[in-house]
Amino acid sequence: MTKNNIYFPNLNGVRCIAALMVIISHLELNKSYFNLENHFHEVKHLGRLGVSLFFVLSGFLITYLLIKEKEVNGRIKISFFYWRRVLRIWPLYYFIVLLSLFVLPKISLFHIPNLHLDFDTNSQFFLVCVLFICFLSNLLISIKLVPFATQTWSIGTEEQFYFVWPLLINKISNLKKWFLSIIVFYNVLLFLLSFSFLDGIKYITIIRDYSASVQLDSLTIGALGAYYFHKNDHVIKRIANDVSFVFSILVLILALLYNFQVPHFNSSFYAFLFITIILNLVYNKRLLKVLEFKPFTYLGKISYGLYMYHQIVIVLCINILLKFNFENTIPLYILSIVSTILVAGLSYEFLEKPFLKMKHKWSIFNTSTNPKTVNNISI
């Protein structure tokens, strides 16, 4: 069977930028763990926004492909979708979990001061394992920190989204109404949960943290962008133009420089900025090549590995440099980023790609963000 080609320009470049935002934030965070001079408080919002950008991008890509499949075939093959997600997400996810629980805590070069993996009881260890296995790592992070696997909280969020989303797209006809309703409902829920009179409720902190981690606004705003893009709606023509793109980039740059916050609706504010930029990058003819160059394309292709391995590599690099009494930031940044790229590249070739090749039998479309590469529609 010949599969239709779907090509989205620039999006591997977007993945690359999102991954670098997270890495920079976590470099400074890990420097703080080692009591090194750091600027974590000045850049910590970069990591949060980098993950939000990943979510918006995932919501856009997944929703577009599901809508397109439903249009072409009349329905979505749910089992095919789930198998594609399993092959893309599970191998690296569970590899990182196994390393974090059973291997890295036993190696001194991965020691983090005052941050150890200890379990009070066997039942606590069992609970951690169950939450990891069930992709509830976004719930686990509020209960127990597992060094080197904290970043998996976002994978939990995505897997929960992937479980529900094709079922929704398959059944619902008025998607725009549903997407807008979900965005409004989610923001209202977060607003209500922020009230102080709820502080006395048992587990309210965990409830608030989990609700925030679900990030339904970012994912659904990405989905809404996919809906408009697929329909070639007049909204797209208003959004995807040079003025809108330049304005969005300037607002984003200023917001990043000054850590601009929108009370109660910060996540949605940035998600709308991100989807505006993404829609311009895939629709505006003047911008179709702006991020289409080989380094960005390659880093975007291996961005899942960059995201999953960077914490491990950063700690290793810090411990190695400290053994030589070397605390300079520039060598740490260079060594950490280059090493993370190397590890992620090797992982892509030898761990991830064998599973990605198996996706073909469950694929509906030949998707690509570069005509010469396989698209990895996940973070």
Side-chain angles (χ1 to χ4, degrees):
M1 180 180 68
T2 301
K3 296 182 174 67
N4 295 322
N5 289 319
I6 294 179
Y7 169 59
F8 298 103
N10 295 314
L11 295 192
N12 269 331
V14 173
R15 285 194 185 90
C16 170
I17 292 169
L20 289 175
M21 290 169 68
V22 175
I23 291 171
I24 290 170
S25 174
H26 285 168
L27 266 163
E28 295 299 322
L29 173 62
N30 280 280
K31 284 165 64 180
S32 73
Y33 290 155
F34 285 82
N35 292 318
L36 300 175
E37 183 179 352
N38 66 86
H39 302 280
F40 175 61
H41 290 292
E42 290 90 335
V43 301
K44 65 180 180 180
H45 61 290
L46 287 180
R48 182 180 67 252
L49 294 177
V51 174
S52 179
L53 177 53
F54 274 131
F55 285 145
V56 174
L57 184 57
S58 286
F60 173 80
L61 286 168
I62 290 296
T63 304
Y64 181 84
L65 293 178
L66 290 173
I67 292 175
K68 193 70 176 175
E69 180 182 348
K70 186 177 179 181
E71 177 187 60
V72 172
N73 298 329
R75 65 183 182 86
I76 296 165
K77 294 184 178 180
I78 304 294
S79 61
F80 278 34
F81 176 83
Y82 288 156
W83 272 115
R84 294 194 301 270
R85 295 299 87 213
V86 166
L87 292 170
R88 183 65 193 113
I89 301 294
W90 289 24
L92 181 52
Y93 171 85
Y94 283 119
F95 180 62
I96 292 294
V97 168
L98 290 173
L99 284 178
S100 302
L101 288 177
F102 301 107
V103 179
L104 299 178
K106 303 178 186 302
I107 303 174
S108 61
L109 280 174
F110 296 98
H111 170 76
I112 303 173
N114 302 316
L115 190 60
H116 308 286
L117 182 61
D118 298 316
F119 296 101
D120 298 329
T121 61
N122 289 335
S123 60
Q124 186 186 55
F125 174 72
F126 178 75
L127 174 63
V128 168
C129 291
V130 168
L131 293 176
F132 271 133
I133 290 169
C134 296
F135 286 95
L136 288 168
S137 44
N138 54 343
L139 176 61
L140 171 62
I141 197 169
S142 299
I143 300 171
K144 179 73 175 178
L145 288 179
V146 179
F148 307 113
T150 53
Q151 72 277 18
T152 63
W153 74 267
S154 62
I155 309 303
T157 292
E158 293 229 350
E159 285 294 276
Q160 292 155 34
F161 173 74
Y162 294 152
F163 181 75
V164 173
W165 212 241
L167 302 173
L168 178 70
I169 303 295
N170 222 11
K171 295 293 184 182
I172 302 301
S173 55
N174 193 342
L175 289 174
K176 181 172 71 171
K177 179 181 178 181
W178 271 85
F179 292 163
L180 290 170
S181 298
I182 289 170
I183 294 166
V184 171
F185 169 79
Y186 180 70
N187 276 286
V188 170
L189 174 65
L190 292 185
F191 179 70
L192 293 175
L193 285 174
S194 69
F195 288 142
S196 58
F197 72 82
L198 298 174
D199 291 349
I201 297 176
K202 191 175 183 180
Y203 303 127
I204 187 62
T205 299
I206 294 175
I207 294 170
R208 285 168 172 163
D209 289 347
Y210 175 75
S211 299
S213 77
V214 170
Q215 296 226 6
L216 261 180
D217 53 349
S218 295
L219 289 160
T220 310
I221 287 168
L224 186 64
Y227 172 86
Y228 285 128
F229 181 73
H230 174 259
K231 294 292 185 182
N232 198 18
D233 193 277
H234 67 278
V235 172
I236 290 293
K237 297 173 183 177
R238 294 179 181 176
I239 292 175
N241 58 70
D242 296 347
V243 174
S244 173
F245 179 73
V246 171
F247 177 76
S248 297
I249 291 293
L250 289 175
V251 171
L252 181 60
I253 290 172
L254 290 172
L256 291 176
L257 288 175
Y258 295 100
N259 192 14
F260 178 69
Q261 303 285 318
V262 179
H264 302 296
F265 305 105
N266 197 60
S267 177
S268 294
F269 168 75
Y270 281 101
F272 276 114
L273 275 182
F274 290 147
I275 195 58
T276 300
I277 292 168
I278 288 169
L279 288 173
N280 270 277
L281 291 173
V282 300
Y283 186 87
N284 190 333
K285 292 181 180 179
R286 294 177 182 270
L287 301 171
L288 297 184
K289 299 292 183 181
V290 69
L291 296 179
E292 287 287 296
F293 55 101
K294 288 183 178 180
F296 269 27
T297 295
Y298 178 71
L299 293 178
K301 184 175 73 172
I302 65 169
S303 59
Y304 185 30
L306 294 176
Y307 182 76
M308 294 295 276
Y309 288 109
H310 75 276
Q311 294 266 49
I312 298 171
V313 174
I314 289 170
V315 171
L316 176 63
C317 291
I318 291 175
N319 275 313
I320 289 173
L321 290 175
L322 287 179
K323 282 186 176 295
F324 295 95
N325 296 316
F326 209 72
E327 300 180 8
N328 194 290
T329 292
I330 294 176
L332 173 60
Y333 264 73
I334 293 173
L335 182 61
S336 296
I337 292 174
V338 170
S339 299
T340 300
I341 293 170
L342 178 61
V343 171
L346 291 171
S347 172
Y348 183 81
E349 291 297 325
F350 299 107
L351 174 60
E352 299 163 61
K353 187 182 280 188
F355 292 97
L356 290 175
K357 288 180 178 178
M358 291 189 283
K359 283 175 61 180
H360 178 76
K361 66 173 71 174
W362 290 289
S363 295
I364 305 299
F365 304 106
N366 180 23
T367 56
S368 179
T369 51
N370 183 292
K372 298 180 181 180
T373 62
V374 175
N375 184 31
N376 53 329
I377 303 174
S378 66
I379 68 174

